[in-house]
């Protein structure tokens, strides 16, 4: 059974007003590729925004909730103003490079946060997706090169020109993916 909207709103209220709770684990059931269903994933931006005003919590673990980039952005936004959290864990949340960039921005002004768990499963899944896309892209590039050769051999210049344009698009796509992988190693 999944948590209701009202229970998520109550959790947001607790996060906003709590002064005594020091450690909170909201562990979802997401393993590497499961669908956790609704719950924190669906309500993450609203619930996690309650952390901005929290004055007691020092440790938070929201691993396995599939909060995605929107939830990570909400967590980052809350951590820009929260000055009590010293430890955060958030792996297995289907976060991509955009979510990590948002999180990284919150660290610049936050001097209290001492421990941030490395999201190894999320990083690995995301990089594997990028590599699969690059592999597929490389197959498309090989096919386009073959079609360009055939068009040149048969003197079909308009077909050749069209395939060359498609090849340029595929090459730009590959460069963007490789750049994203490089950026993920910095985060």
């Amino acid at each position: 059974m999944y948590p209701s909207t009202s229970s998520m709103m109550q959790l947001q209220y607790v996060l906003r007003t709590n002064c005594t709770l020091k450690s909170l684990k909201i562990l979802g059931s997401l393993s590497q590729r499961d669908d956790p269903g609704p719950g924190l994933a669906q309500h993450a931006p609203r619930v996690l925004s309650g952390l901005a005003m929290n004055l007691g919590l020092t440790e938070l673990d929201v691993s396995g909730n599939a909060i995605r980039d929107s939830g990570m952005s909400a967590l980052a936004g809350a951590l820009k103003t929260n000055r009590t959290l010293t430890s955060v864990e958030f792996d297995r949340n289907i976060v991509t490079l955009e979510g990590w960039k948002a999180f990284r921005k919150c660290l610049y002004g936050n001097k209290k946060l001492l421990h941030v768990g490395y999201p190894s499963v999320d990083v690995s899944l995301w990089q594997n997706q990028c590599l699969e896309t690059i592999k597929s892209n490389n197959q498309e590039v090989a096919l386009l090169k073959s079609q360009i050769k055939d068009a040149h051999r048969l003197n079909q210049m308009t077909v050749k020109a069209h395939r060359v344009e498609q090849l340029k698009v595929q090459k730009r796509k590959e460069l963007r993916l490789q750049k994203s992988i490089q950026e993920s190693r910095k985060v």
Side-chain angles (χ1 to χ4, degrees):
M1 185 168 166
Y2 299 117
S4 66
T5 300
S6 65
S7 64
M8 288 292 118
M9 290 177 73
Q10 289 171 348
L11 179 57
Q12 178 195 23
Y13 176 77
V14 167
L15 287 174
R16 198 172 352 114
T17 59
N18 165 67
C19 291
T20 55
L21 185 64
K22 299 297 178 197
S23 179
L24 179 63
K25 291 184 180 188
I26 308 172
L27 302 179
S29 61
L30 183 68
S31 64
Q32 289 191 7
R33 294 189 188 267
D34 297 342
D35 178 10
L40 185 58
Q42 179 181 353
H43 302 283
R46 181 184 304 138
V47 171
L48 294 175
S49 68
L51 286 170
M53 295 178 269
N54 184 283
L55 299 174
L57 206 58
T58 59
E59 296 177 8
L60 176 67
D61 187 346
V62 292
S63 296
N65 284 289
I67 63 173
R68 294 180 167 48
D69 293 340
S70 61
M72 185 57 74
S73 293
L75 177 60
L79 288 175
K80 285 181 182 178
T81 57
N82 179 291
R83 295 297 181 249
T84 58
L85 273 175
T86 58
S87 176
V88 177
E89 297 279 344
F90 52 79
D91 201 5
R92 298 181 331 277
N93 276 304
I94 313 175
V95 176
T96 68
L97 185 60
E98 296 310 310
W100 297 319
K101 284 180 179 179
F103 185 79
R104 185 177 65 187
K105 288 179 187 175
C106 84
L107 298 176
Y108 293 124
N110 190 324
K111 305 279 189 261
K112 287 286 191 175
L113 197 55
L114 303 174
H115 170 79
V116 176
Y118 182 72
S120 59
V121 173
D122 280 344
V123 169
S124 177
L125 287 174
W126 184 79
Q127 286 181 337
N128 286 341
Q129 286 175 338
C130 286
L131 292 173
E132 284 298 316
T133 304
I134 288 172
K135 182 179 175 182
S136 171
N137 190 58
N138 286 343
Q139 291 170 346
E140 181 69 22
V141 165
L143 178 63
L144 286 169
K145 284 181 177 180
S146 172
Q147 290 172 344
I148 289 169
K149 268 185 182 178
D150 290 344
H152 181 74
R153 188 174 40 82
L154 297 171
N155 205 22
Q156 297 173 329
M157 293 307 146
T158 55
V159 172
K160 179 181 175 183
H162 181 69
R163 297 293 185 248
V164 167
E165 288 305 312
Q166 288 177 317
L167 181 63
K168 288 178 183 177
V169 168
Q170 292 299 325
K171 285 295 196 178
R172 285 192 294 268
K173 184 178 177 182
E174 181 180 350
L175 288 173
R176 280 193 310 271
L177 286 167
Q178 288 175 345
K179 183 179 176 185
S180 292
I181 290 173
Q182 291 294 332
E183 284 185 43
S184 74
R185 292 182 178 137
K186 294 177 189 175
V187 175

